[in-house]
Amino acid sequence: MRHAPELFGGVRVPESFLAVDLFYLVSGFVVAHAYGERLARGGFAGRFMLTRLIRLYPLYLLGLAIGLAPAIIASVTDPEGWWSLPRVAEAAATGLFMIPLFPGLAANGSSLDGPTWTLLWELVANLAYALAIRFMNLWALIATIVVCGAGVVFAEWRYGTLDVGFNPTDQWAALARVGFSFFAGVLLFRVAGEGERRSEWIAWALMALLAVALGFQPAAWAAGGYQLALVLVGFPALVLVAGRFEPSAISGRVFSFIGLMSYAVYLLHQPLAVLAREGLDRIDWDADDLIPWLTGPAFLAFLLILAWRLDKQYDAPARNWLRARLMPSAGKAAEG
């Protein structure tokens, strides 16, 4: 709804950009759970970063390739337009190295697939965690969270929104967002990562609460405070409770499937929506003629089916192939 609103009749989730902060928060929790002990023992940082790259890169590369298609078409059919062949080359070159923005270049990796700007900062946080974990006691974690949290507050004050971090002038805000949320996730795992209990209704209530929180439209005067409250307090509280309560086996399988599909949906939805718009433009079908209650769910269903098939036939095999050649002694080590 955020990156392809015309397919949903222009309906948007007002605070959907805050899902980035939730993504970083959950990532910190999961990475600390999966790799914290091995990183603390030392000698694992390089293998850890390679593992993270192998986990992220195959689907990222596919999203980049899909984003290249409409850019190349635009450069050929409209050479006087924004996309030119040199810009396509710039975007492809920076994109291959997961660089969402590069000083002095008009086109970058995120020009082909907008949401991918978050992945560089995810890797920055992963690297900082891997290198500093031996020194990251409770007080160091709290200090990091406080400093980065102050940066988040300043970003809200400076820009009037937390929908920042993807522009050349606000890269520091991206660092503050990932620094606070990722390391808050690490802290939450340390204090509440063990001793789960079963509670079906709490698990589903948390999902409903998250949907309400992101879909709520605060008054203009209250938007800044609302965004800060969610990022600094609401999301950590949500993850804290979620870390203590597990759903039933059936619901757990549903959540696991959605979680497995989410990365592909995240990376592919925008470039695929751009291709869909290109196709509609070429058959002179105006977006106003779309039936949002049909086209939106149909597009989402297509994404889920595609993500499921890609996991079976592309992503998992590609990751296995990369691990076998780049990490032959790793075996079937757990991934984050």
Side-chain angles (χ1 to χ4, degrees), residues 71-258:
I72 293 173
I73 292 171
S75 68
V76 172
T77 59
D78 184 16
E80 302 301 320
W82 192 85
W83 278 113
S84 62
L85 287 177
R87 280 186 175 174
V88 171
E90 291 172 356
T94 53
L96 285 173
F97 291 96
M98 300 184 80
I99 300 173
L101 288 171
F102 195 86
L105 295 183
N108 297 273
S110 58
S111 303
L112 301 172
D113 190 352
T116 58
W117 71 269
T118 60
L119 298 182
L120 175 66
W121 297 107
E122 163 74 7
L123 290 172
V124 168
N126 289 174
L127 180 61
Y129 176 62
L131 295 178
I133 190 170
R134 287 187 174 186
F135 313 102
M136 199 167 287
N137 57 26
L138 180 63
W139 292 110
L141 255 182
I142 292 174
T144 302
I145 292 166
V146 168
V147 170
C148 293
V152 171
V153 173
F154 183 74
E156 180 68 59
W157 175 82
R158 171 69 176 80
Y159 298 108
T161 179
L162 287 181
D163 190 12
V164 291
F166 50 85
N167 300 300
T169 56
D170 57 26
Q171 294 295 283
W172 63 270
L175 187 60
R177 292 176 74 182
V178 71
F180 172 82
S181 292
F182 183 89
F183 289 103
V186 173
L187 178 63
L188 287 174
F189 173 74
R190 288 193 184 182
V191 301
E194 306 294 341
E196 297 93 345
R197 294 163 51 190
R198 281 285 172 89
S199 179
E200 181 79 349
W201 77 267
I202 289 180
W204 282 101
L206 291 175
M207 298 299 294
L209 185 60
L210 175 62
V212 171
L214 294 178
F216 179 68
Q217 177 70 74
W221 62 268
Y226 181 74
Q227 292 167 15
L228 287 175
L230 271 185
V231 171
L232 301 180
V233 180
F235 288 163
L238 197 74
V239 171
L240 180 64
V241 177
R244 302 295 294 178
F245 295 95
E246 291 294 317
S248 68
I250 295 176
S251 293
R253 285 195 289 270
V254 173
F255 290 163
S256 294
F257 174 78
I258 295 173

